[in-house]
């Protein structure tokens, strides 16, 4: 009697795995999804309430699968592959609570995120970046980001808003742009606020010393 051939119990090494762990989403991917949601709202596909809810969900998504589900019923939604923030940027995050940090290093920029909490960064005593410019990427998601800056700096804000607010309460700089430190703020306020202000005190700071030196050489 002929025996049937034995099944090959050895797994084909070239066979692809049927399951793989979820890939974590990057900040750039979240930003791109929120931008697509804004476009969909302009096209009339989403109401303002839906835009706010989905934007919040996009910022809170941990994996690409979760992120893609936010816009799976929208046309032309593909996983973006863009780099996140500048290399070496200091990252501060207040999640479901409040965080206060003073005098962080500013040389490579800052990423500041508040999710269901408040984040306060006091930059007045921080050494000024060697270039005289600082970029802050701020995200206020059902929370607030407070940025305390010294006198004598120039502030530029380039932030999107979804049922949130961006307020620059700093006093306008008096010096010429060529010798005035620049703080550039980007990001988004989603059901939260990004607030830029001076501290209550008139402390002399590294920023002011830097400004005085530049004015002396000018």
């Amino acid at each position: 009697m002929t025996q049937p051939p034995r099944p090959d119990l050895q797994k084909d090494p070239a066979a692809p795995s049927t399951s793989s762990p979820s890939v974590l989403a990057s900040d750039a991917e979240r930003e791109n999804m929120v931008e697509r949601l804004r476009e969909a709202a302009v096209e009339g596909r989403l109401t303002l309430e839906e835009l706010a809810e989905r934007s919040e969900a996009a910022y809170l998504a941990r994996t690409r699968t979760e992120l893609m589900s936010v816009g799976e019923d929208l046309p032309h939604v593909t996983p973006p592959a863009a780099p996140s923030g500048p290399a070496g940027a200091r990252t501060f995050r207040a999640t479901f609570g409040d965080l206060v940090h003073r005098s962080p290093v500013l040389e490579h920029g800052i990423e500041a995120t508040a999710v269901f909490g408040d984040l306060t960064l006091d930059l007045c005593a921080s050494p000024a970046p060697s270039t005289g410019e600082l970029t802050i990427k701020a995200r206020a998601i059902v929370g607030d980001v407070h940025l305390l800056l010294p006198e004598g700096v120039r502030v530029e804000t380039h932030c999107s808003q979804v049922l949130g607010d961006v307020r620059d309460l700093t006093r306008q700089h008096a010096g010429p742009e060529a010798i005035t430190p620049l703080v550039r703020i980007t990001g988004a306020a989603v059901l939260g606020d990004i607030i830029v202000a001076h501290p209550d005190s008139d402390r002399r700071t590294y920023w002011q010393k830097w400004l005085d030196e530049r004015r002396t050489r000018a």
Side-chain angles (χ1 to χ4, degrees):
M1 182 175 179
T2 305
Q3 294 290 335
R6 296 181 60 187
D8 186 0
L9 301 179
Q10 193 171 13
K11 187 176 180 180
D12 182 0
S17 174
T18 57
S19 62
S20 59
S22 297
V23 178
L24 295 178
S26 69
D27 286 339
E29 290 170 340
R30 295 185 186 94
E31 294 287 354
N32 286 355
M33 175 59 76
V34 171
E35 182 60 32
R36 178 65 192 103
L37 294 174
R38 294 194 195 100
E39 293 174 359
V42 173
E43 295 165 357
R45 302 180 192 275
L46 298 176
T47 65
L48 186 60
E49 182 180 6
E50 290 170 334
L51 173 61
E53 290 176 350
R54 294 197 189 200
S55 296
E56 179 183 345
Y59 279 119
L60 294 176
R62 284 283 296 156
T63 66
R64 284 182 175 176
T65 301
E66 293 175 354
L67 182 61
M68 292 304 297
S69 68
V70 175
E72 62 184 359
D73 56 349
L74 299 177
H76 311 301
V77 176
T78 56
S84 56
R90 292 289 306 277
T91 301
F92 300 92
R93 191 180 186 92
T95 306
F96 294 98
D98 298 341
L99 174 66
V100 178
H101 195 91
R102 294 178 174 84
S103 309
V105 176
L106 309 177
E107 193 64 36
H108 300 293
I110 283 179
E111 294 185 9
T113 303
V115 181
F116 290 98
D118 291 345
L119 172 62
T120 300
L121 294 181
D122 186 345
L123 311 182
C124 293
S126 295
S130 57
T131 61
E133 295 188 6
L134 169 65
T135 297
I136 301 176
K137 187 174 184 179
R139 303 182 192 88
I141 308 164
V142 198
D144 296 340
V145 174
H146 301 264
L147 302 171
L148 299 181
L149 304 179
E151 297 276 358
V153 300
R154 181 162 46 101
V155 177
E156 292 181 0
T157 58
H158 307 277
C159 302
S160 59
Q161 304 172 44
V162 180
L163 298 182
D165 195 14
V166 179
R167 286 178 280 169
D168 179 7
L169 305 180
T170 60
R171 287 175 281 279
Q172 188 174 7
H173 69 94
E177 292 186 0
I179 61 173
T180 303
L182 171 64
V183 178
R184 185 181 295 106
I185 302 170
T186 64
V190 181
L191 295 172
D193 296 339
I194 299 174
I195 303 171
V196 189
H198 297 307
D200 295 333
S201 62
D202 293 324
R203 293 172 289 175
R204 183 174 179 81
T205 67
Y206 285 97
W207 285 87
Q208 190 63 48
K209 294 178 182 178
W210 183 91
L211 179 60
D212 291 344
E213 291 173 358
R214 291 292 295 270
R215 286 174 174 169
T216 300
R217 295 198 300 264

